[in-house]
């Protein structure tokens, strides 16, 4: 089959490929693509397609935000998304009771506010509905089921070559080529699987929080939740609400703050205080109020780090827990706190303080990591260690040769908005300077 003709035909009808951008630079690339698609040496590639606008990898809030900001400036883009929907983290990998922990004004994307009747902390369903409307409003139609497996800069062509596998068809690869590559694959792209002696042989259910929906199936069961970030803490509360017996592993220190203090959201209050005071002063205020409201958390096994919550977030990315009721259940003894795990044998878990308990199920609330080092051939913008930009926010959004990063800032959706606006502005400037817009 002539795959080039096939993709040409597709492009005629596909708004993504309408050449709003001047054709001048396309000629040699089109020839290159045609050659690749025909060449016997490249039979692995089913199709090879020139994308006139930027290629964005990931259709989460970050990918959508960049596509929208570009669209507003008259630039079409192509989003490659591995799953079959937008915001797959929110739609497929989060628990039922999830709501935003930060107030809505800190979570909206550029150019379109949340509907006025939305609550301060929109539910997951409301957040996803907003994202669906957002995509529709800006005419964003991602290419679903495209898992990007390799992206590299072609030094000869001065272009990005992005290879993706079609989901469920491992042997079928397509290649897209563009001047610009925007990485929007998120900080939560892959789950962190802890290495715990005996975990693989545990004689009970083991589930990561990305696959946990509700505590219904755990009623009456003894459940060990490993990890005390926001996910672990809220899953414990959900387990309580479903009459399970949750136990939580807190292997290190943790900052737990009430979600609201002094009649305001803790996050909003923090942002306001940061306008007037340096971060260590704001941290002291937050800790003082938290102590008044929660008491000494260390007495219940939740020792605080020596560095304050906001400073720690900005230094290490570790997010403070914004408490939505879990702490009261720890205080009442409904949730029991345990230190790190030494080993697991059968159904028995041995802890570092030598206590041992039997469990029916383990929920791994051990977090997520970026997958950028697995597919992006770049050593400059991103660190191999954690797959995040080497430069701290707000300086990690732009690399060399048309490479960009959005939403990998450890600043949540606020970071996404800042990156997205910058990227769109930068690409617009390049096109304007070339007289192509
Ligand atoms: C439970 C939970 C609650 C959260 N709550 C908040 C909150 O209230 N406020 C806040 O600001 N932040 C919150 N966050 C942080 C979260 O990072 C952001 O809300 C937001 O999802 C980030 O958007 P993103 O587009 O950068 O990443 P994601 O939402 O993770 O989207 C990335 C997309 O890229 C796709 N992808 C990944 N790899 C590839 C590949 N190789 N090829 C193709 N596609 C790929 C994924 O399938 C996904 O659809 C929360 C996170 C979690 C886990
Ligand atoms: N409503 C909301 O807004 C919510 C937001 N979120 C956000 O989603 C993101 C992911 O959160 P989350 O899923 O909680 O992940 P986190 O990375 O925040 O937390 C992971 C936890 O697992 C612990 N851990 C990792 N490995 C082990 C191990 N081997 N043994 C014991 N403990 C271990 C970590 O401990 P240590 O610190 O010692 O490494 C940490 O406490 C965060 O940004 C969070 O804020 C999550 C839920 C709700
Ligand atoms: O939920 C997250 O992890 C976020 O990234 C949101 C967020 C950004 N900065 C913070 C500081 C305190 C609590 C949550 C966040």
């Amino acid at each position: 089959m002539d795959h080039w003709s096939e993709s040409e035909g597709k492009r005629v009808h596909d708004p993504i490929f309408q050449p709003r951008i001047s054709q001048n630079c396309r000629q040699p690339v089109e020839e290159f693509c045609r050659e690749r698609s025909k060449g016997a040496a490249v039979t692995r590639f089913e199709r090879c397609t020139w994308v006139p606008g930027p290629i964005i990898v990931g259709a989460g809030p970050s990918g959508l935000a960049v596509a929208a900001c570009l669209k507003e400036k008259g630039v079409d883009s192509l989003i490659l998304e591995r799953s079959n929907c937008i915001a797959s983290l929110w739609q497929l990998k989060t628990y039922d009771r999830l709501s935003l922990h930060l107030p809505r004004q800190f979570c909206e994307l550029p150019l379109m506010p949340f509907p006025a009747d939305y609550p301060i902390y929109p539910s997951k369903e409301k957040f996803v509905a907003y994202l669906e409307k957002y995509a529709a409003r800006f005419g964003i139609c991602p290419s679903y089921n495209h898992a990007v497996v390799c992206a590299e800069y072609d030094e000869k062509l001065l272009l990005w070559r992005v290879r993706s596998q079609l989901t469920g068809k491992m042997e079928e690869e397509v290649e897209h080529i563009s001047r610009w590559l925007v990485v929007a694959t998120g900080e939560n792209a892959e789950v962190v699987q802890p290495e715990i002696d005996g975990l693989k042989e545990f004689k009970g259910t083991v589930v990561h929080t990305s696959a946990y929906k509700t505590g219904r199936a755990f009623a009456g069961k003894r459940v060990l939740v490993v990890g005390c970030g926001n996910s672990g803490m809220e899953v414990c509360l959900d387990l309580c609400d479903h009459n399970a017996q949750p136990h939580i592993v807190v292997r290190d220190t943790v900052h737990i703050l009430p979600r609201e203090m002094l009649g305001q959201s803790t996050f909003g209050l923090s942002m306001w205080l940061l306008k007037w005071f340096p971060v260590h002063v704001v941290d002291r205020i937050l800790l003082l109020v938290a102590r008044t409201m929660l008491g000494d958390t260390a007495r219940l096994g939740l020792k605080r780090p020596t560095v304050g919550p906001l400073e720690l977030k900005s230094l290490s990315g570790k997010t403070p827990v914004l408490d939505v009721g879990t702490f009261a259940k720890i205080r009442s003894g409904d949730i029991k706190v345990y230190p790190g795990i030494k080993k697991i044998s059968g159904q028995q878990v041995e802890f570092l303080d030598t206590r041992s308990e039997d469990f029916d199920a383990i929920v791994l609330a051990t977090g997520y990591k970026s997958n950028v080092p697995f597919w992006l051939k770049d050593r400059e913008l991103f660190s191999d260690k954690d797959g995040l930009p080497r430069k701290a926010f707000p300086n990690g959004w732009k690399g060399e040769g048309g490479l960009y990063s959005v939403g990998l800032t450890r600043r949540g959706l606020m970071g996404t908005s800042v990156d997205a606006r910058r990227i769109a502005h930068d690409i617009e400037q390049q096109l304007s300077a070339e007289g192509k817009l």
Side-chain angles (χ1 to χ4, degrees), residues 135-154:
R137 156 110 174 246
F138 295 99
I140 302 168
C141 305
S143 286
Y144 295 117
N145 302 313
H146 280 69
V148 171
V149 289
C150 182
E152 65 190 314
Y153 191 63
D154 189 316

Side-chain angles (χ1 to χ4, degrees), residues 285-298:
I285 298 170
L286 295 179
L287 289 174
L288 199 74
V289 181
R291 167 118 201 172
T292 327
M293 292 175 70
L294 305 175
D296 178 10
T297 59

